[in-house]
Structure formats: structure tokens, C-alpha cells
Amino acid sequence: MSTATTDPTIDLSRPGVPFGREVRVEIRKMIDTRGGVWLFAITALFILLAMGLTLLVLGLNEDATITASGFGEIMALPVSILLPVFAILIVTSEWSQRTHLTTFTLQPHRGRVILAKFVAVTTLAIGTIVAAAVFGALGNALYGVITPHDPVWNLPVADLAWIVAQQLLFFWMAFALAMLLLNTPAAIAVFYVASMILPFMVYPILMAMFQWARDLLPWLNMDYAVMMVRTEATFLGDPIEVGVVDYLRLAFTVTLWIVLPGLLGALRIRRTEVK
Amino acid sequence: MIEVQNLSKSYGDFTAVDDVSFACRPGRVTGFLGPNGAGKSTAMRMIAGLTRPSKGTATIDGVEYTAIPNPATQVGVLLDASAQHGGRTGREVLTIGARMMGLPASRVDEMLALVGLTDKEAKRRVRNYSLGMRQRLGIAHALLGDPKVLILDEPANGLDPAGIHWMRRLLREYANRGGTVMLSSHLLHEIQIIADDLIVIGNGRIVASGTKEELLRVAGTRVRARDMAALESALTAAGLTFEVAGDAVTSTASPEEVGQAAADAGVALVELRESDSAGLEEMFLQLTSSNQRDVITTEGVPA
Ligand SMILES: Nc1ncnc2c1ncn2[C@@H]1O[C@H](COP(=O)(O)OP(=O)(O)O)[C@@H](O)[C@H]1O
Ligand SMILES: [Mg+2]
């Protein structure tokens, strides 16, 4: 076959895909499947449920009071339970559904794809916290209406910043584990066991019983490390003076659960053969 | 033009694609034919930048796929029609592609119409699509960005005969407008219908390439007589080379020469005809059986 004709078929001066467009497409891909719609619907239900239950308890119990800050905390719970699954699926579903074939032919630079997904996950995390804050404010206002107490509008910026930061760390951890494992069930299992089941059901028992657990576990659990810096207290409520060690502990857990799996995962995605 | 030069891919000590070189020219539909496991998909993934070659290069107009800006608007790729998210509708699959490429939403409707997916079908989840519908969706996706080059891996797989003829017309018109088409298949009859040029691959190596006419011309003549022994001695007397193939004899000589030889010896013939594609078909069958996979690949065997 002759190679004489070199048609200018390929236009190298054409603009590439703008990053903002990639991020918007990734956000769309999180919610345009049946699974995505269900996940959002259930989360919305959880939010309403949490708000309703809180108001019910407050309405029935004259002595109970709440502040905007407390409402914010409560509303952050339902959005942090299920939604990290989005941060996992945005990565792993590309592998399980094999859509990565399409994704990486539309954008062959895999680092860019990872970055776009990261920004999409971050956007979702912040967006859901804003939604939680709106519902929290709504709940707080209703609280003023249905109970004899006046609503307390005291959500300090620091508190809000911590809630957002924790939500981000949660989502990023899910995202990093998903990149490392590239497998939906495995990533979901590891994420929930490490971030919810152990710290809520296993660690408290160990920490109540053993000194080594009180020493060691905060170094293995991001949530504990955050809480110690944030509340200036240990898990058992003893006040502490927050110092270098506490920030180091926080940095260590972030490295352990986000930076390390994230970097290894990104490397894996860039190297792996897509087929 | 797609150009592949000394392309190789090894997995451990197994060489899936072994020093392969070929080109697919604009204005032509190039068929990439080979039995299952021959290395077609691996080669195409290397062209599309999804698999890193162990050796050699694959370029499109001298450029690697990964270096092309907004590549899907310049090179349309369909590597696996079943690799779509089952929970998305067909329309949504195309919409995502169009968004990513920066195309207007109307382009999605145009492509759906072009591949014959109705509005109702487009609203269905891909999970409920037949393989043929997925192929149409995949072709629509490859064509979305109006590319000048098309790379399609087994696109006719799962299409019914009418679908294959539809695809032939589609790709023919595309090539007539100057487009470059590379499509793979493990079925000779399928590729015979659609392609102009053929590249035949077996066990990772190119075993034949050229225009379809060139490759099919090797054919020769198929002849049968009631008295086969007499026919054989007549052909020997005339100095024609031949082979006994089952109940017939095939010869590389033309039907005219064979008929004359038989007539000269007074042998009555039962059948005398050009053996269509026998050369290629035989070569292909040999390739296939030496691979010890499917025994018959000229009929519809799923990939
Ligand atoms: N990751 C891999 N490891 C080992 N062998 C592989 C791998 N990927 C593909 N192969 C082998 O490479 C050969 C070519 O495969 P493929 O390109 O898919 O063939 P085709 O598309 O022609 O059917 C097959 O024998 C296949 O088993
Ligand atoms: Mg294949």
C-alpha cells in the first residue's frame, strides 16, 4: 500500500476538551443512571427523616433544646452516610461497566480524567453540605415555631468549616480507596468498615477497655484524629491541649487513608491496560 | 490514514501481536480479518492509545491517537459495543459523548436517526438492548463527532443480515466521502460484504493483505466429473496442477483451461466453475483450525 497521500485529516490546532466541560460531564455521569437517582432519592428521604425525628423529639420534650450548630451536625449525618458511594462509583463503575473504554478514548490523558472526577466529587461533597445546611436552617426555624423555645442561630464559621472539611475528607477517602481497588464491592466494604463500622461499633469498646487502643486507634482513624483537633478533647471527653502531635496525627491519618491510596490508585489507573 | 509499523504486544512470554505493519487508506474500507484470539482487538486498542505497545508505533496521519486534541471529533472509535453502562439510556450515552466533545444536542438526534434507533428505543436502558442495538448505538457514538477516521472492532457482530447490509452502505458512503474505515471481524463472509481492502491476521502475525479482489482472485477452478480418475489423468495430461478436495478437484488454472483439457480427453463434466474465494477461505480455515478454536468461522459464530 502506498503512503504517498498524506491527507490533512487530523487537525492538531483544534482546541482540546476544556477542563470545566470534563468536570460537568463527570458530575452528570454520577447521577444519570438508575442507581444514581435511587441513591439521591434515599438520601433525600434520610434528610427529611432526620429533620422530622429531631423536631418530633424536641416537640415532645419541653426540656430539650437545640442550636443551629446542633442541627447542622445532625443534617450532615444523612448526607455522609450514603453519598460517599457516589465518590466510589464514579471510579469503579467505569471498570465494572467497562465504560472506561469510552472515557479514555474521549480523553486519552488519564490524569485529566482522574482530576475531573476528583473535582466532581469535591463539588458533590460541598454541594451536599450546603443542602444539609439549608435543611438544618429550615429545621431550626420550624423548631422556633413548634416549640416554646426561640431558635438559636449560632453556627460559628469554624464549626461550619469543620463540617465541610470532614465531609470532604470522607468523600476523598472513598474516592482514593475506589481508585486503589477499582472494584465496587471491595471499595464500598473497605470504606464503610474503616470509616463507620469499626469507629462506631468496635473501636469504642476497645478504647474503653485498653490503654493501647486509646493510644493507637486515633492514629488509624481519620475521624478520631479530626475530632481531637476540633473538640480539643480525647475520645472519652478528657480535655487536651492541641499541639503538634495532634496535627501530626491528623496529617498521618489523612496520608494513610487519602494521599497514599490516592497516589497508588492514580498510578494504577494510568498504567493499567484498559480492555 | 492509519499506519501501523512493527507493532508488537507481549503479555509475559506470550506475543499477542507480533511485529505487525499495515496501513488503512482514506476512501477505503479496510477489513481486519482473523480468528478469535488473533490479536485484532489488541492491535486496535494500541491504535486508540488504550494499550501500550511493547514495540513499534501506531499513528493516524503521522500522529499518535493520544496526541490528537479532542480526539473523538477526529477519530471515531468503537472497541466494544457491550461496554456501556447498563443503567443509562441509549440517548444518555450519546448525550454524554456529545457534551464531552462539545457538540450541540441536536447531533444526538441526528445520529440516532442515522443508525435507526427510534425515540422509544433511545429512551430504554442499554441493559435491555440486544447486541445488534448496542452495535448501532456504538456506531452512532463513533460517528458523533463527525470524524474522518473510523476504527470499529467487530461492529457487525450481532447484526442480522439486513443490519450487515445497512452497515455496508453506511461505511461505503462514509469512505466515498473520503473517510478512512478500519473494521475487524472474525467472519470472512461478513468482511467480504463490507470491505475493499483486507488485512488477514493469525496468531498475532499478518498472513495476507491486499485488495479484496487480489486476495479472492487466487481462487481458481472447481471441477467435478462422474469419472474422477479420468478427469485427474486428463488434467495431468494437460499439465495443469490440481488438488483433490473432497468429491471435487480444484485447480489454479482457469475454468476455460480445465474445461478444454477435459473436453480433449473426452471426460464428461458434472460441474465446472470458478471457485469463489476458495483461496482466502481455505487459508482462513487453516488459520482457524491451527488455532484450534472454532472449526467453522465462515458462518455466524459469536465472538
Ligand atoms: N492481558 C492479557 N494477558 C495475556 N494474554 C492476553 C491478554 N490480553 C489478550 N491476551 C491474548 O492475546 C490474544 C489476542 O487477543 P485479542 O486481541 O483480543 O484477539 P481478537 O480480538 O483477534 O479475538 C488472545 O490469545 C488473548 O488471550
Ligand atoms: Mg476481539
Side-chain angles (χ1 to χ4, degrees):
Chain A
M1 280 167 214
S2 88
T3 52
T5 49
T6 17
D7 251 20
T9 323
I10 301 301
D11 178 7
L12 287 175
S13 62
R14 203 173 278 192
V17 182
F19 187 66
R21 208 156 79 198
E22 285 179 55
V23 172
R24 282 198 298 280
V25 168
E26 289 299 344
I27 290 175
R28 184 180 176 117
K29 278 159 68 175
M30 280 197 271
I31 49 184
D32 69 352
T33 63
R34 184 167 283 178
V37 171
W38 273 106
L39 222 57
F40 256 116
I42 293 173
T43 300
L45 201 73
F46 275 9
I47 290 179
L48 292 178
L49 215 63
M51 194 167 86
L53 280 176
T54 310
L55 287 173
L56 192 68
V57 169
L58 293 168
L60 293 176
N61 192 340
E62 294 273 305
D63 299 332
T65 58
I66 197 167
T67 64
S69 177
F71 244 115
E73 296 274 347
I74 290 174
M75 299 320 290
L77 208 62
V79 293
S80 60
I81 289 176
L82 274 183
L83 291 181
V85 170
F86 277 112
I88 290 171
L89 284 178
I90 194 179
V91 177
T92 56
S93 77
E94 298 264 11
W95 265 259
S96 62
Q97 303 279 340
R98 297 181 53 237
T99 44
H100 54 4
L101 277 175
T102 308
T103 304
F104 292 141
T105 38
L106 291 175
Q107 173 54 279
H109 302 286
R110 300 187 192 175
R112 279 273 297 242
V113 175
I114 293 171
L115 210 60
K117 286 184 187 292
F118 177 78
V119 173
V121 163
T122 304
T123 309
L124 180 74
I126 294 174
T128 49
I129 276 297
V130 168
V134 168
F135 277 97
L138 196 69
N140 206 33
L142 282 174
Y143 162 72
V145 174
I146 62 176
T147 70
H149 307 285
D150 284 330
V152 186
W153 295 104
N154 73 325
L155 187 55
V157 176
D159 272 2
L160 189 67
W162 273 116
I163 294 178
V164 172
Q166 260 180 305
Q167 179 86 342
L168 281 176
L169 292 178
F170 249 120
F171 273 62
W172 288 343
M173 173 177 165
F175 184 68
L177 289 174
M179 286 207 294
L180 183 68
L181 297 170
L182 295 182
N183 174 292
T184 308
I188 288 183
V190 171
F191 174 75
Y192 280 101
V193 167
S195 73
M196 295 199 182
I197 296 182
L198 290 178
F200 283 109
M201 299 172 73
V202 179
Y203 292 169
I205 300 171
L206 292 177
M207 288 168 77
M209 284 165 54
F210 306 108
Q211 181 59 43
W212 63 261
R214 288 191 283 279
D215 292 338
L216 177 71
L217 292 179
W219 287 86
L220 296 183
N221 186 274
M222 212 164 58
D223 217 25
Y224 287 173
V226 171
M227 287 314 280
M228 287 176 79
V229 171
R230 179 183 169 185
T231 60
E232 301 183 0
T234 67
F235 173 77
L236 296 172
D238 303 324
I240 54 165
E241 190 124 334
V242 174
V244 178
V245 175
D246 302 285
Y247 284 106
L248 262 180
R249 190 188 300 115
L250 180 57
F252 180 80
T253 56
V254 167
T255 307
L256 183 67
W257 291 107
I258 298 176
V259 179
L260 216 58
L263 283 180
L264 290 176
L267 219 64
R268 180 174 181 196
I269 291 177
R270 285 174 60 108
R271 294 239 170 122
T272 191
E273 186 183 11
V274 167
K275 59 199 301 180
Chain B
M1 178 160 68
I2 303 169
E3 263 188 296
V4 166
Q5 268 165 1
N6 306 104
L7 196 63
S8 299
K9 178 69 191 179
S10 310
Y11 296 106
D13 53 10
F14 175 73
T15 309
V17 174
D18 191 359
D19 197 29
V20 159
S21 299
F22 61 83
C24 305
R25 289 174 291 162
R28 311 279 292 177
V29 177
T30 305
F32 195 32
L33 175 68
N36 291 325
K40 304 179 296 293
S41 299
T42 307
M44 291 172 113
R45 280 201 313 274
M46 287 193 277
I47 298 172
L50 292 171
T51 292
R52 213 164 288 164
S54 305
K55 277 199 214 92
T57 56
T59 55
I60 300 152
D61 265 3
V63 185
E64 283 185 13
Y65 182 89
T66 54
I68 301 172
N70 203 347
T73 60
Q74 314 211 39
V75 181
V77 178
L78 169 60
L79 288 175
D80 189 341
S82 51
Q84 279 305 343
H85 198 302
R88 280 191 189 115
T89 64
R91 170 179 292 277
E92 179 62 19
V93 168
L94 295 186
T95 304
I96 291 174
R99 290 273 170 104
M100 188 70 184
M101 293 179 224
L103 308 170
S106 58
R107 188 72 191 154
V108 171
D109 294 295
E110 284 169 39
M111 289 304 106
L112 285 171
L114 180 74
V115 300
L117 284 174
T118 64
D119 219 32
K120 223 169 118 199
E121 289 169 328
K123 281 187 188 132
R124 245 184 261 161
R125 313 252 163 203
V126 174
R127 175 179 301 128
N128 305 318
Y129 277 25
S130 67
L131 182 55
M133 285 164 78
R134 285 172 196 233
Q135 294 286 16
R136 285 169 190 265
L137 184 67
I139 289 164
H141 194 278
L143 288 169
L144 256 181
D146 194 23
K148 299 258 171 43
V149 180
L150 271 185
I151 297 171
L152 312 171
D153 193 3
E154 306 260 3
N157 204 358
L159 289 182
D160 50 25
I164 291 177
H165 279 90
W166 163 80
M167 181 177 301
R168 166 170 68 170
R169 209 171 60 232
L170 183 85
L171 297 181
R172 176 81 273 129
E173 283 164 12
Y174 181 88
N176 287 346
R177 290 195 301 270
T180 307
V181 182
M182 173 184 190
L183 89 162
S184 72
S185 175
H186 64 286
L187 301 177
L188 177 62
H189 83 103
E190 210 174 77
I191 213 111
Q192 238 175 312
I193 294 173
I194 302 174
D196 306 315
D197 295 330
L198 287 181
I199 300 159
V200 187
I201 186 172
N203 293 318
R205 296 184 144 272
I206 303 289
V207 291
S209 70
T211 66
K212 183 167 61 184
E213 287 72 30
E214 271 166 22
L215 288 177
L216 295 185
R217 201 183 304 135
V218 197
T221 304
R222 176 187 156 89
V223 60
R224 283 195 304 137
R226 192 165 295 141
D227 186 350
M228 289 298 281
L231 174 62
E232 283 171 37
S233 45
L235 293 177
T236 312
L240 302 178
T241 56
F242 64 89
E243 254 178 65
V244 182
D247 64 340
V249 161
T250 57
S251 170
T252 48
S254 68
E256 212 175 334
E257 290 172 298
V258 173
Q260 190 61 54
D264 289 347
V267 178
L269 296 183
V270 183
E271 183 186 351
L272 174 67
R273 63 180 172 89
E274 238 172 56
S275 58
D276 41 28
S277 79
L280 194 57
E281 188 158 344
E282 206 150 279
M283 179 180 71
F284 193 59
L285 265 173
Q286 251 169 21
L287 254 184
T288 315
S289 52
S290 74
N291 255 4
Q292 292 177 337
R293 280 174 218 273
D294 328 313
V295 182
I296 303 294
T297 30
T298 48
E299 285 307 319
V301 180

